[in-house]
Amino acid sequence: MIRLENVSKVYATSTRPALDDVTMDVERGEFVFLIGPSGSGKSTLLRLLLREDVPSRGTVWVANWNVGRLARRRVPRLRQRMGCVFQDFRLLPNKTVAENVAFALEVIGKPRHTIRTVVPEVLDMVDLGGKADRMPSELSGGEAQRVAIARAFVNRPLVLLADEPTGNLDPETATGIMTLLERINRTGTTVLMATHDRQIVDSARRRVVELSSGRLARDDHRGVYGVAR
Amino acid sequence: MLFVWREALVGLRRNLTMTLAMVITTAISLGLLGAGLLAVRTIDRTEDLYYSLIAVQVALDEPTSAEDPDCSSPVCRDLRAELEADPLVASVEYESREAAFTRFQRIYAGQSILQLVRPQSLPATLRVTMDDPLRGTEIVDRFTGRPGVRNVVDQRSTVADLFSFLGSVRNATFGLAIVQALAAVLLISNTIQLSAFTRRTEVGIMRLVGATRWYTQVPFLIEAVVTGVVGAVLATAGLVAGKVFFLDNLLSGRLLANTIPPIGMTDVLGYVGPVLVVVGAVIATATGYVTLRLYVRS
C-alpha cells in the first residue's frame, strides 16, 4: 500500500537531509507506528506521502500512485483516498460537529443525499452520535479528536495518516483514541501513526518503524517504543 | 456548485466594509467608462447629423448676387458646371439673394437681428454637398479668389469646435475611468488576499481532503465577479439617473436643443449597460485569477 524506495529529502534551508535513503514497505491493512525524536523526519515522511512535498531522490508509492511524479491536477484524487489526523485536531470552529465531518465530503463534490446518510453513520462509529450539533468549543480534547478522525475516515480512505493524534490528550483519552484507530484499521484501512506516546506503542504491540536523523533506525514487527530508554 | 456559492457569499459578508469599498470603486470606474462610451456614441451621432447638413458654401460677389436670381449669368453658370463636374462633389444647389433672405427671416423669426439685415447684405451662394465632408478644404482652396467669388466657407470648420469639445469630454472620462479602474483592481486583489487569509484553515483542510482547485479557488473568484457585476449594475443605474435628471434637461434646453442629439434609454440599457457588466465581470475575474496565482497557494 505504501512503499518508499531509497527516499531522501533535502530542504534548501538545511545542509542535513530530513530523510536519508529510507526504504520501507507497508502492506494493505497494516497498522504501523512511526516513532523517533522531533526532527527525525516523521513529519517529512508524512508530507511526502500526502504530496505536500516531493522527494529529492527515490520514489514514493501510495496504492498505485508514484506520488512524487503525480501531476498537480491528480493530487486531489490521491488525497481523497487518504485520511489525515493531527495533534491539534484542525476542526473549523464555526461549524458544528456534523458540519465539520460533512465539509470533507462537500468540498470533494459528494452528493447531498450521500452526505446525509454517511455523516451520522461515521459519528456513531466514533461514539459521537449524540453530539452532532455541538460546536467544537463545547467538546473535550478526546471528543474533538474523534470528530477529526470521523472527518478523516468518512470518505473511507485507503490509508489513514495520524500525526501525533494523542499528543494533546491525557493517557486514558489517548487509549480511547488508540482503540478507535484500531477499529478503523480492522475495516481494512492502512494506518500509519507518528507518535511519541511510549505507553500506547508498548501496549499495542504493533509494527514499529523508528527514524533517527532521517535514517531508518529500526523496523520491528510487534515492537515496543524503545529497547533501553 | 451550491457549496462554492455559499462560501463566496460568506466571504463577501465577512469582509463587508471591504466589499462595499470594492463595489463602490468598481461602480465609479465602470460608470466613467460608460459615460465615455456614451460620449463616443453621441459624437458619432452628432457627426452624422451635421455631415448630412453641412456643405461648402461658395458665396458669389456683389454684381452676380444682385442680378442673378437663377444662376443664368455666365460667371455663375461656369462655376456651377465646374463644381458639378468635380468628382468630390455630390450635388450643387443655387440659392439666390432673395431665397437666402427668406431663409434668414425664417430662422431668426421674432428676433431683433432681423431689423438690421437687408437682402443686400446677403450674397447668393452655391451650396456644395460633398461626397466626403472631410475633403471640403480642397474645394475651398480651389475656388477661393476666382472671378465672381466673394469667399468660400467650409461649414465643417465651424462645427469642428463642438466636436473637439465632445472629444475632450470623452478623453477626460476615459482617463478618469482608467485611474479608477486601477484602484478597483488593487482593491479587488487586496480583498481576495484578505479573504484567502481569513479562510486559510478552511482552505488548508480542503486541500488535505482532496478538494480540487475548483472548490478551493472558485469561491474567491465568485466574490470578485459578484463585485464586478454589482458594480456594473450600480454604474448603469447611475448613468440612467444622470441621463434622466441632468442630461435630458441639458440637451433639450434652449442652449443645446438640436445641437447635440439626445441620449436614448436604449443607449444606456441596451448598449452601455451590458458592455459594463461584461467588462466588470472580465476585469474582476482576471484580477482574481492573477491574485490567486501570485499570492495564494493552490
Side-chain angles (χ1 to χ4, degrees):
Chain A
M1 181 56 60
I2 299 173
R3 179 199 288 273
L4 278 71
E5 293 169 352
N6 307 101
V7 171
S8 296
K9 176 65 188 176
V10 186
Y11 287 109
T13 50
S14 166
T15 49
R16 197 176 61 81
L19 280 180
D20 191 359
D21 199 28
V22 172
T23 297
M24 66 179 278
D25 236 314
V26 178
E27 296 297 321
R28 176 185 289 268
E30 257 194 293
F31 193 116
V32 180
F33 287 115
L34 189 61
I35 65 169
S38 299
S40 58
K42 302 191 297 295
S43 298
T44 300
L45 199 155
L46 296 182
R47 288 173 60 80
L48 292 183
L49 292 177
L50 278 169
R51 184 52 148 81
E52 297 261 4
D53 249 320
V54 291
S56 310
R57 274 191 307 281
T59 316
V60 176
W61 296 90
V62 172
N64 287 320
W65 285 294
N66 182 343
V67 176
R69 292 277 177 80
L70 211 56
R72 273 171 67 103
R73 61 189 173 79
R74 292 266 168 87
V75 172
R77 178 146 299 181
L78 165 77
R79 291 182 182 159
Q80 285 178 15
R81 305 314 307 275
M82 303 181 84
C84 254
V85 182
F86 302 92
Q87 184 171 0
D88 57 359
F89 320 139
R90 301 199 189 171
L91 301 179
L92 296 172
N94 54 346
K95 289 188 193 296
T96 65
V97 165
E99 285 168 352
N100 262 284
V101 177
F103 184 76
L105 295 175
E106 281 174 19
V107 300
I108 58 172
K110 291 282 178 196
R112 280 214 281 174
H113 61 266
T114 311
I115 297 176
R116 267 203 295 270
T117 55
V118 167
V119 170
E121 277 172 23
V122 78
L123 284 177
D124 279 340
M125 181 187 164
V126 300
D127 297 329
L128 285 174
K131 299 198 168 176
D133 297 327
R134 298 290 178 86
M135 300 305 282
S137 56
E138 301 168 329
L139 301 176
S140 70
E143 287 168 338
Q145 193 60 291
R146 284 169 187 276
V147 178
I149 290 171
R151 182 180 63 193
F153 185 66
V154 70
N155 197 33
R156 306 286 156 153
L158 297 168
V159 180
L160 184 73
L161 303 179
D163 193 359
E164 313 244 7
T166 59
N168 277 345
L169 306 174
D170 61 75
E172 205 173 317
T173 313
T175 308
I177 294 296
M178 186 58 210
T179 310
L180 178 55
L181 290 176
E182 289 189 310
R183 201 190 303 167
I184 283 173
N185 178 235
R186 278 199 297 276
T187 67
T189 303
T190 309
V191 177
L192 184 60
M193 170 170 167
T195 186
H196 282 304
D197 197 326
R198 170 185 293 263
Q199 196 195 330
I200 292 263
V201 175
D202 286 350
S203 60
R205 289 286 165 163
R206 297 286 193 152
R207 180 175 169 194
V208 174
V209 172
E210 182 175 350
L211 290 175
S212 171
S213 304
R215 293 186 145 272
L216 192 72
R218 178 160 68 102
D219 188 349
D220 290 344
H221 288 267
R222 307 184 68 77
V224 292
Y225 190 85
V227 185
R229 265 177 240 220
Chain B
M1 198 63 224
L2 198 75
F3 172 83
V4 292
W5 278 98
R6 208 176 57 213
E7 287 296 300
L9 289 180
V10 168
L12 286 169
R13 265 210 309 267
R14 183 152 36 201
N15 305 318
L16 192 60
T17 49
M18 278 297 265
T19 304
L20 286 178
M22 206 158 68
V23 167
I24 292 169
T25 317
T26 310
I28 293 175
S29 164
L30 291 173
L32 289 167
L33 175 66
L37 290 176
L38 285 176
V40 171
R41 233 183 195 211
T42 306
I43 289 169
D44 288 350
R45 282 226 196 107
T46 312
E47 283 180 347
D48 286 349
L49 180 73
Y50 281 78
Y51 286 158
S52 63
L53 296 176
I54 63 178
V56 175
Q57 289 182 307
V58 180
L60 303 179
D61 63 3
E62 181 55 28
T64 317
S65 296
E67 288 155 23
D68 195 346
D70 52 5
C71 201
S72 54
S73 67
V75 177
C76 183
R77 215 172 48 222
D78 288 354
L79 283 171
R80 182 173 194 164
E82 191 179 340
L83 282 165
E84 278 171 344
D86 195 300
L88 294 175
V89 171
S91 68
V92 181
E93 252 177 84
Y94 181 72
E95 185 180 56
S96 69
R97 169 168 279 174
E98 285 69 31
F101 187 66
T102 312
R103 188 163 61 90
F104 189 86
Q105 282 176 314
R106 199 178 63 236
I107 293 172
Y108 292 100
Q111 294 183 35
S112 53
I113 190 171
L114 210 54
Q115 315 303 317
L116 304 172
V117 174
R118 298 277 165 269
Q120 290 74 12
S121 35
L122 298 171
T125 48
L126 287 163
R127 287 180 51 84
V128 182
T129 310
M130 305 294 296
D131 259 342
D132 177 0
L134 298 175
R135 298 181 69 180
T137 46
E138 291 172 41
I139 300 295
V140 175
D141 290 347
R142 203 151 352 122
F143 286 85
T144 301
R146 292 278 290 274
V149 173
R150 187 164 92 175
N151 61 3
V152 185
V153 174
D154 181 1
Q155 290 179 324
R156 202 180 82 84
S157 61
T158 52
V159 292
D161 286 347
L162 177 66
F163 291 146
S164 86
F165 167 72
L166 290 174
S168 322
V169 170
R170 176 199 58 197
N171 293 343
T173 46
F174 277 153
L176 276 172
I178 288 171
V179 174
Q180 277 291 323
L182 193 67
V185 162
L186 291 177
L187 259 175
I188 290 173
S189 164
N190 222 314
T191 311
I192 286 179
Q193 287 177 59
L194 191 74
S195 194
F197 184 75
T198 50
R199 252 187 283 167
R200 64 195 183 285
T201 328
E202 252 149 307
V203 173
I205 290 167
M206 289 164 82
R207 283 162 19 84
L208 214 55
V209 300
T212 52
R213 282 169 70 99
W214 170 263
Y215 281 91
T216 53
Q217 307 207 333
V218 166
F220 299 111
L221 284 184
I222 291 180
E223 277 180 47
V225 172
V226 167
T227 304
V229 170
V230 172
V233 169
L234 286 182
T236 308
L239 289 176
V240 168
K243 168 192 146 44
V244 171
F245 296 115
F246 176 67
L247 278 181
D248 282 356
N249 284 331
L250 185 71
L251 296 186
S252 65
R254 284 181 72 84
L255 186 63
L256 292 175
N258 305 323
T259 310
I260 299 176
I263 292 164
M265 200 53 101
T266 44
D267 293 331
V268 181
L269 294 180
Y271 164 65
V272 172
V275 168
L276 293 187
V277 169
V278 170
V279 169
V282 167
I283 287 182
T285 312
T287 308
Y289 184 77
V290 170
T291 305
L292 289 171
R293 269 287 153 112
L294 292 182
Y295 299 107
V296 182
R297 274 184 65 200
S298 64

